[in-house]
Amino acid sequence: MQSNAVLSSKDNVNIKRYQKLAASKKARQADGLFVLEGARLIGDALLEHARLDCLMITESAVEKYPALLAQADLKEVRLLVISNELGARIAQTEQPQGVFAVCRMPRQASYRPVLKQGGHFLILHELQDPGNLGMILRTADALGIDGVFLCGCCDVYSPKVIRATMGSVFRVPLWQELDTDKLLAAMKAAGVHTYAAVIDPEARELRSCDFDGTAAVMIGNEGNGIPAQVADACDFRLTIRMQGHINSLNAAMAAGIILWELQGGQI
């Protein structure tokens, strides 16, 4: 993992690739790559055996993160030392640490065998806020959810979502499935009970749901919730009863409450 010279040109192919991947979902999907920034996030990626294509670190950061460099060296990750000016140029955080990486997206295996193994799952339907998606993945990680399905959501590999997950993106099993009907049919065939989280006084109150057996809860779009036809395709409709005049919660907050109940109020 040796780097012979300090990169200082903004036109360097590695710098241009990093910036393109950071800015473009299309480029990320085409190359199967995404970017990471920050020592903790990159350290988590290495600990969870994510495949790093390269590690870029500024001159001033080299002495600050010897453990990270040693960790990357053990994984035989290609190292590039870049100038402090280039680091400031490509950074997207308010207080950049001067540590960046390009990471390969994990290969997505079939989810059908996983569904047959039992467990508790989360389905996110057309969630569009990167902060919400990242926070929900952190919550799913903390509560030991067995897998998360993304149906038409914002790009989970965008820098904003990746930062919001605080490393949980490397620990939570993820599947992307644009065809919600196909997913629900596969769950039904595998004996998974599906629950649509809705704002409806006629729906089953969350605390009355026992979630026996294999179960999956669906959380909908921040503004529009779950479309009626999709909610109707689920086995059950559930709701969080609220007091006062409020009738809805932030998607990430609602997901946290529901996942806590899904896991039986235990970690």
Side-chain angles (χ1 to χ4, degrees):
M1 194 183 78
Q2 296 297 319
S3 180
N4 297 321
V6 176
L7 298 180
S8 59
S9 172
K10 63 181 177 60
D11 295 320
N12 178 272
V13 63
N14 296 285
I15 298 300
K16 293 177 73 173
R17 180 180 68 159
Y18 184 95
Q19 291 178 302
K20 185 176 182 179
L21 292 171
S24 170
K25 176 182 178 180
K26 184 177 181 180
R28 291 191 291 271
Q29 291 179 330
D31 295 345
L33 300 168
F34 62 103
V35 301
L36 307 173
E37 181 180 345
R40 177 178 175 179
L41 186 58
I42 295 171
D44 281 346
L46 290 167
L47 282 173
E48 299 300 328
H49 308 292
R51 296 182 299 156
L52 296 193
D53 187 70
C54 75
L55 172 66
M56 297 189 293
I57 187 166
T58 61
E59 293 175 277
S60 61
V62 168
E63 300 299 324
K64 295 180 181 179
Y65 303 105
L68 181 65
L69 292 175
Q71 190 180 5
D73 192 29
L74 287 173
K75 300 285 187 179
E76 298 182 344
V77 178
R78 182 167 60 105
L79 173 67
L80 299 172
V81 179
I82 63 177
S83 68
N84 295 330
E85 290 74 20
L86 271 186
R89 184 183 185 90
I90 66 175
Q92 295 187 315
T93 57
E94 293 182 4
Q95 296 180 323
Q97 296 175 321
V99 187
F100 313 88
V102 174
C103 186
R104 295 195 174 276
M105 295 179 186
R107 296 185 181 92
Q108 180 169 297
S110 171
Y111 52 74
R112 293 178 185 273
V114 177
L115 296 177
K116 295 178 181 179
Q117 295 172 7
H120 288 159
F121 302 96
L122 174 64
I123 306 168
L124 299 178
H125 189 270
E126 297 185 356
L127 214 68
Q128 294 304 309
D129 182 87
N132 279 338
L133 178 53
M135 187 176 296
I136 290 172
L137 292 182
R138 286 180 66 189
T139 304
D141 183 18
L143 295 179
I145 298 301
D146 296 291
V148 177
F149 295 86
L150 307 177
C151 300
C153 295
C154 59
D155 184 12
V156 70
Y157 294 111
S158 74
K160 287 183 178 180
V161 174
I162 293 296
R163 286 197 300 273
T165 70
M166 295 290 287
S168 290
V169 69
F170 302 113
R171 293 184 288 269
V172 177
L174 292 174
W175 290 273
Q176 300 195 59
E177 176 58 83
L178 291 176
D179 191 335
T180 309
D181 290 337
K182 177 182 175 182
L183 174 61
L184 292 176
M187 288 188 165
K188 188 176 186 64
V192 181
H193 296 144
T194 53
Y195 298 77
V198 297
I199 301 172
D200 182 354
E202 300 301 319
R204 181 178 298 189
E205 204 278 324
L206 172 62
R207 286 172 294 183
S208 71
C209 298
D210 52 28
F211 299 115
D212 282 345
T214 307
V217 173
M218 180 184 291
I219 304 292
N221 175 270
E222 292 89 347
N224 301 315
I226 302 172
Q229 68 272 21
V230 176
D232 289 343
C234 293
D235 296 318
F236 306 100
R237 295 154 62 91
L238 68 80
T239 194
I240 302 173
R241 293 277 189 269
M242 288 170 265
Q243 299 184 25
H245 297 290
I246 189 169
N247 65 358
S248 66
L249 293 170
N250 168 273
M253 177 64 73
I257 294 170
I258 293 170
L259 293 183
W260 176 260
E261 294 292 335
L262 177 63
Q263 295 296 69
Q266 299 179 22
I267 298 179

